[in-house]
Amino acid sequence: VMDIGWLYQKNAAEISVQPVLDSQPRITQYMLCTTGRNKLADLAQLLISGGYKRAIVFCNTKFTTATLTNQLVRLNFVADCLHGDLSQVERNKIMGRFREGKIAVLVATDVAARGIDVEDVDVVVNYEVPTASAAPAGPRRRAQPTFCTARRRKSGWRSCCG
């Protein structure tokens, strides 16, 4: 591209800009090894002990998403879920409530959550380890909300329960 630019431009000048260190993502990642009965309790403890005001939890299936949401609500979390069976109107309503801070924990399948861009997400949790068959190519798999947080120069946590 540079070679073509030099051929067709008159009096061209090259400008190099150094990246600003403050714009680099500040994301802390960790893994919590848990299984079976302990998984829900460990997730609840993670959310409570972290004092997170806004969390996104990813699951692999619609069934797990709905089940986990019901379990979190029974534990007095303000939670709702996004999955492929929701209409666009329902999805917009849930996302509006999440953006307004009326929902503290959004449980979602990765397909339903594509394109989510919400400010001030404190933690992103992979409740289940993403399956290779469901993973699109690229390093931003399931980390987009965290990266959106980091782009706004905020700190973020990303964890995996599995």
Side-chain angles (χ1 to χ4, degrees):
V1 174
M2 293 292 289
D3 293 336
I4 293 170
W6 289 111
L7 286 174
Y8 295 102
Q9 295 177 353
K10 295 180 181 177
N11 300 324
E14 183 177 334
I15 299 172
S16 297
V17 178
Q18 296 299 318
V20 178
L21 292 177
D22 194 33
S23 68
Q24 294 178 350
R26 292 178 295 192
I27 300 169
T28 302
Q29 296 190 52
Y30 63 94
M31 182 170 171
L32 173 63
C33 293
T34 183
T35 57
R37 292 182 187 180
N38 296 333
K39 208 170 192 181
L40 175 62
D42 288 340
L43 174 62
Q45 183 60 36
L46 174 90
L47 295 172
I48 292 168
S49 66
Y52 303 121
K53 304 242 187 270
R54 189 169 295 160
I56 298 177
V57 179
F58 287 111
C59 299
N60 290 340
T61 66
K62 292 180 270 187
F63 177 79
T64 305
T65 301
T67 303
L68 180 59
T69 301
N70 289 334
Q71 291 171 330
L72 289 171
V73 167
R74 277 189 265 140
L75 293 173
N76 295 318
F77 287 94
V78 180
D80 211 335
C81 65
L82 282 181
H83 53 71
D85 287 346
L86 296 175
S87 70
Q88 189 62 44
V89 171
E90 291 171 311
R91 177 184 163 93
N92 290 344
K93 182 179 174 183
I94 292 168
M95 287 307 303
R97 292 181 61 221
F98 186 64
R99 283 188 184 98
E100 293 168 2
K102 294 178 181 175
I103 297 172
V105 182
L106 180 66
V107 183
T109 58
D110 58 340
V111 174
R114 287 187 184 148
I116 289 178
D117 191 5
V118 179
E119 291 188 31
D120 299 326
V121 174
D122 298 318
V123 65
V124 176
V125 177
N126 288 327
Y127 188 71
E128 299 172 301
V129 177
T131 58
S133 61
R140 292 180 59 167
R141 164 89 172 118
R142 286 199 176 174
Q144 186 212 4
T146 308
F147 281 112
C148 290
T149 299
R151 276 200 312 267
R152 292 182 183 93
R153 296 185 181 147
K154 297 180 189 274
S155 297
W157 286 88
R158 183 165 185 254
S159 64
C160 180
C161 297

